[in-house]
Amino acid sequence: MSATFLGMPAFPRNAARAVGDSQLRFNLRKATRTIRGRRAAMVGEVPGWEELRAAGRQIKDHTLRHLDRYLLQLEEAVARAGGRVHWAADADEANRIVAGLVEATGETSVVKVKSMATQEIGLNEALAARGITAYETDLAELIVQLGDDLPSHILVPAIHRNRAEIREIFREKMAEWGRPAPEDLTDEPRALAEAARLHLRERFLSTKVAVSGANFMIAETGTLVVLESEGNGRMCLTLPETLISVVGIEKLLPTWQDLEVFLQLLPRSSTGERMNPYTSTWTGASEGQEFHLVLLDNGRTRVLADEVGRQALRCIRCSACLNVCPVYERVGGHAYGSVYPGPIGAILTPQLRGTDSGASAPPGGMPASAAPAPGGRMPASATAVSRGRMPASATAVSRGRMPASATAVSRGRMPASATAELDASLPYASSLCGACYEVCPVAIDIPEVLVHLRAKAPHPRAERLAMRAAGWVLDRPVRLARAQRLSGRLRRFVPRRLPGPAAAWTDTRDIPDIPAESFRDWWDRTDGGTR
Amino acid sequence: MSSRDLILSRVRAAVAGAPDVPHTGPRAAPAAAGERTVELFAGRVADYRAVVHVVEPAEAAGAITAALARRAAERVVVPGGLPEEWAHAVRAHLGDGAVGDDPPLSAAELDAACGVVTGCAVGIAETGTIVLDTGPRQGRRALTLVPDYHLCLVRAGQIVPGVPEAVAALDPARPLTWISGPSATSDIELDRVEGVHGPRTLEVVVVR
Ligand code: SF4
């Protein structure tokens, strides 16, 4: 990664590249607008939405306050129902536990249900290093995995891809992973979904081990809950003989009845539906299956210790805050350099990694290194590197789609200092407009946490200098008029990049085109547009 | 120190001194099952682009036969405990094509079946959701997952007004599957498309 300029944070650099990608911007705008409209309609339909939201917030706060008690209750309930509970203090430990459990079954492949927690800990890479192939089964995850790409949205990880791109990925890559795409595949969403169905069918029916996450865990009963749409979740949860679920400790709810609140809040907030197509709940070992629950800390207790920041642990990963965020809509998910993008990522990532105060990542945070796999079938990301092809990060950058730094961070290949720099910049990835707070079903005051984290992060010097210069010009109308006319005449000579310390400013922002005539001059000349 | 003890001690240190937050009591008053519950349920199921029929009890068997004929289904799974009248309708129509799950069918056998006919545990009017709990009339979870067509019979008395009533009525010790329309995805440009891995066609017969 290139040297940093004046300590300018990484997010702005990533964002500048992403904003320059018009296909990405178009895909994002189209998708987020669709989903915003649907969410608004579904939320508007519920008369007591605000009460529901308050209840969601309170249940979560209560659970977090008594998390130790509820974790013990959960452990006992899962064990009583025939499941085994494992505790993982950090990513490495969770990966070791899961790999060990898979090895104990004698299998060398697993099917996976989309799970943020397993992405956070880099499970697929860790399994590959031990010769175990993890097959993603969620359509969007499949697109990401086949395309040797990175997720860019919590709910729809391939939101940055349009149908034509998805068709190309399927045609080029499906054969490498299993059943090839049909010869005559079109870019009709229905045809693409059908291709995914055929591609994964045999895999579902024959794979003996599955790895999942969970949306909720019920302390009282030991029940786990997974919401999904496609049925790949049901396939993974139902058919394999062994099920391993990796779940963050903050996913707890005290009682079974609490689920009524979250089963109303989540589907309407996330996919904008009254209910998602499938929700599965199971308690311990079901229908003769072997069940393991891996409880994951990996920085969560650090977040819990921050009085202001701990509200981020209420998050139910609905992604509503991403879909309304003007910054996210323009830059996309990759610029955030984490599996948690958007407003929630801006507050969660630095806290989870423990880099919110600019310190380097401690061992308990997200992984700092993912060892390359020595052998066995490896996921695309690892194979690309070991075969000596261009690594994913380079390919993606050359496509202009992803910044190298983002790739490196979420793959965990970035040095801790660079991670810290990126994380320190994340709290600035917001205009503090407050839209994220408005839509959050558990009322996380994201702007409040952003401001709190900004106070802890180091401030870039160039930004302060530029602000001071701007203040001097904008302060005096005469100076402003003169400066505007001057810049209008000289605009052909304006570089895309400002010289000196201000370069850092333009490295991260596009200089708007300078109009030939200033607004004030135009107003005088045309009498407010009437002449 | 074990990781278990480490995590628990980190949690205790993190929340030490934080103010207590009470666990809220039950929220909105449970809605009463109204006259319109059946119509609301049928309408909401249809919103997911599932096929819905509302019939009188005497018409249930005929509705099953008609649905299977429309589907041109030849091999259909019939779980144990399906009411004899419904199971008989399937057998009368398909003969040997009506297969039971005792001994359990293999995944490949399920994949080879055209569909499955089941009852359910609960229906939710507000969201158009059917909940299965692997009890009688439903069978194990794979039966309603692998075949591409699911014909589900819901008795009017099983329909509750909303999600809170459903949660209260269900037993978490049983594995539950909440089904709202056919399998779908929004992963391509956030547009909903029906039909990925679960049954691509869901047909619901509501029996008054
Ligand atoms: S912060 Fe709130 S709105 Fe954003 S994903 Fe989490 S729960 Fe949803």
Side-chain angles (χ1 to χ4, degrees):
Chain A
M1 102 155 250
S2 60
T4 54
F5 200 81
L6 279 174
M8 192 49 141
F11 175 82
R13 254 198 325 271
N14 298 343
R17 284 201 202 93
V19 167
D21 183 344
S22 58
Q23 181 68 62
L24 170 73
R25 274 209 327 264
F26 178 82
N27 294 353
L28 281 171
R29 195 165 52 235
K30 181 159 181 273
T32 52
R33 292 212 169 150
T34 313
I35 195 82
R36 285 205 297 263
R38 282 218 307 264
R39 178 204 159 270
M42 282 302 124
V43 165
E45 205 181 87
V46 179
W49 184 258
E50 283 309 316
E51 288 77 30
L52 213 51
R53 193 169 169 243
R57 172 196 173 138
Q58 190 168 343
I59 293 167
K60 280 282 186 181
D61 279 347
H62 168 79
T63 316
L64 290 169
R65 177 64 186 81
H66 303 284
L67 195 57
D68 53 335
R69 171 151 64 85
Y70 286 125
L71 282 169
L72 290 171
Q73 196 186 357
L74 173 83
E75 180 186 43
E76 201 198 311
V78 171
R80 208 187 314 125
R84 273 202 58 199
V85 179
H86 311 257
W87 301 70
D90 58 28
D92 286 345
E93 186 174 15
N95 288 332
R96 266 200 316 276
I97 293 170
V98 176
L101 290 170
V102 178
E103 280 165 3
T105 65
E107 297 293 317
T108 53
S109 68
V110 300
V111 282
K112 276 188 71 199
V113 203
K114 178 173 141 40
S115 131
M116 303 298 302
T118 58
Q119 275 172 33
E120 175 191 317
I121 61 176
L123 179 67
N124 292 8
E125 290 78 6
L127 289 178
R130 291 187 41 179
I132 299 162
T133 310
Y135 292 98
E136 294 292 350
T137 63
D138 179 78
L139 179 51
E141 290 288 354
L142 179 70
I143 296 165
V144 168
Q145 189 173 46
L146 292 175
D148 197 6
D149 202 347
L150 288 167
S152 68
H153 189 276
I154 295 179
L155 181 73
V156 198
I159 195 171
H160 57 290
R161 300 288 200 181
N162 64 27
R163 56 184 74 186
E165 293 174 296
I166 295 167
R167 170 176 177 264
E168 281 319 299
I169 292 169
F170 279 12
R171 281 165 53 107
E172 281 172 25
K173 292 294 178 60
M174 269 187 171
E176 269 178 45
W177 286 81
R179 181 175 172 148
E183 277 295 308
D184 53 351
L185 183 64
T186 68
D187 66 1
E188 250 312 290
R190 196 167 297 278
L192 295 170
E194 165 83 14
R197 177 183 173 97
L198 293 171
H199 179 72
L200 287 173
R201 195 78 183 172
E202 193 40 48
R203 179 104 52 223
F204 282 135
L205 301 185
S206 61
T207 307
K208 302 241 173 343
V209 184
V211 176
S212 85
N215 295 94
F216 306 103
M217 305 186 285
I218 312 295
E220 170 191 46
T221 58
T223 307
L224 269 74
V225 184
V226 165
L227 281 72
E228 53 133 352
S229 296
E230 297 167 13
N232 63 310
R234 292 178 67 192
M235 289 279 180
C236 294
L237 300 172
T238 309
L239 297 182
E241 291 162 9
T242 303
L243 172 62
I244 305 165
S245 301
V246 182
V247 190
I249 52 174
E250 83 284 17
K251 297 280 171 197
L252 266 180
L253 299 176
T255 69
W256 172 248
Q257 198 63 41
D258 289 330
L259 208 51
E260 73 174 53
V261 173
F262 296 92
L263 286 184
Q264 293 181 80
L265 288 173
L266 183 48
R268 289 179 196 262
S269 299
S270 83
T271 44
E273 294 168 296
R274 293 191 182 102
M275 197 59 94
N276 50 294
Y278 299 131
T279 296
S280 296
T281 76
W282 72 98
T283 302
S286 300
E287 297 183 329
Q289 205 175 40
E290 184 178 323
F291 174 61
H292 296 271
L293 171 60
V294 181
L295 293 171
L296 178 72
D297 179 349
N298 202 37
R300 284 158 177 76
T301 47
R302 179 179 19 243
V303 185
L304 188 62
D306 187 308
E307 271 172 49
V308 179
R310 65 166 64 115
Q311 56 184 308
L313 296 177
R314 293 204 295 260
C315 176
I316 55 175
R317 313 272 190 266
C318 72
S319 73
C321 59
L322 278 64
N323 300 333
V324 297
C325 178
V327 176
Y328 178 86
E329 183 180 314
R330 281 160 189 81
V331 305
H334 292 142
Y336 295 82
S338 157
V339 296
Y340 302 108
I344 179 61
I347 62 169
L348 195 57
T349 304
Q351 295 198 87
L352 276 178
R353 286 202 280 229
T355 43
D356 51 328
S357 51
S360 61
M366 295 191 197
S369 71
R377 184 78 172 86
M378 284 179 284
S381 57
T383 19
V385 178
S386 64
R387 280 195 209 133
R389 276 200 264 130
M390 212 189 326
S393 54
T395 334
V397 172
S398 64
R399 280 191 216 127
R401 210 165 278 121
M402 272 181 292
S405 53
T407 324
V409 174
S410 49
R411 289 259 161 80
R413 284 196 210 107
M414 202 173 178
S417 60
T419 314
E421 184 217 4
L422 173 85
D423 291 355
S425 75
L426 285 176
Y428 292 89
S430 165
S431 60
L432 298 180
C433 73
C436 47
Y437 169 64
E438 293 294 312
V439 297
C440 178
V442 284
I444 299 173
D445 193 341
I446 295 177
E448 182 193 18
V449 182
L450 285 168
V451 170
H452 171 70
L453 295 177
R454 280 180 190 189
K456 294 166 99 179
H459 291 264
R461 190 169 70 94
E463 196 152 340
R464 285 200 307 270
L465 286 176
M467 280 300 180
R468 220 176 291 148
W472 183 81
V473 176
L474 297 173
D475 225 25
R476 298 271 186 287
V478 181
R479 262 186 234 154
L480 176 64
R482 232 183 267 146
Q484 280 172 337
R485 268 177 227 135
L486 185 66
S487 61
R489 251 170 263 141
L490 297 180
R491 69 195 171 115
R492 275 186 299 123
F493 308 109
V494 170
R496 298 306 298 177
R497 193 164 184 276
L498 294 175
W505 174 270
T506 48
D507 273 351
T508 57
R509 290 162 182 83
D510 293 330
I511 303 184
D513 288 332
I514 300 171
E517 188 178 23
S518 76
F519 174 76
R520 281 154 196 263
D521 285 351
W522 170 85
W523 185 271
D524 284 346
R525 181 170 59 76
T526 61
D527 200 10
T530 55
R531 266 184 272 147
Chain B
M1 200 192 307
S2 70
S3 291
R4 177 178 182 272
D5 294 342
L6 177 65
I7 294 170
L8 290 169
S9 71
R10 282 178 183 166
V11 167
R12 287 176 189 131
V15 298
D20 192 13
V21 181
H23 180 204
T24 37
R27 350 313 130 170
E35 287 276 293
R36 304 246 323 122
T37 306
V38 168
E39 279 66 33
L40 182 63
F41 175 76
R44 293 280 155 99
V45 174
D47 280 351
Y48 297 118
R49 282 177 257 184
V51 186
V52 188
H53 316 270
V54 181
V55 303
E56 297 301 324
E59 300 163 342
I64 293 172
T65 313
L68 294 178
R70 264 195 310 276
R71 183 82 191 167
E74 289 168 3
R75 232 180 119 70
V76 168
V77 182
V78 181
L82 196 71
E84 186 42 40
E85 183 204 347
W86 299 351
H88 182 263
V90 181
R91 279 196 302 270
H93 182 65
L94 296 177
D96 287 349
V99 290
D101 186 40
D102 186 19
L105 299 164
S106 69
E109 284 169 319
L110 281 175
D111 198 31
C114 307
V116 60
V117 181
T118 73
C120 72
V122 165
I124 307 173
E126 193 193 358
T127 59
T129 304
I130 291 152
V131 189
L132 308 182
D133 70 359
T134 72
R137 304 187 293 272
Q138 304 158 63
R140 62 197 169 98
R141 291 175 292 175
L143 301 193
T144 52
L145 172 62
V146 180
D148 202 15
Y149 170 72
H150 181 192
L151 177 60
C152 186
L153 286 103
V154 182
R155 292 189 198 277
Q158 293 179 304
I159 302 174
V160 297
V163 173
E165 296 78 23
V167 173
L170 290 160
D171 175 5
R174 313 186 72 101
L176 303 178
T177 307
W178 301 50
I179 299 173
S180 305
S183 138
T185 182
S186 302
D187 282 354
I188 302 164
E189 299 175 7
L190 277 179
D191 246 348
R192 182 171 164 130
V193 180
E194 282 79 25
V196 198
H197 304 295
R200 287 181 288 186
T201 307
L202 173 67
E203 189 157 357
V204 177
V205 176
V206 184
V207 185
R208 281 187 192 280

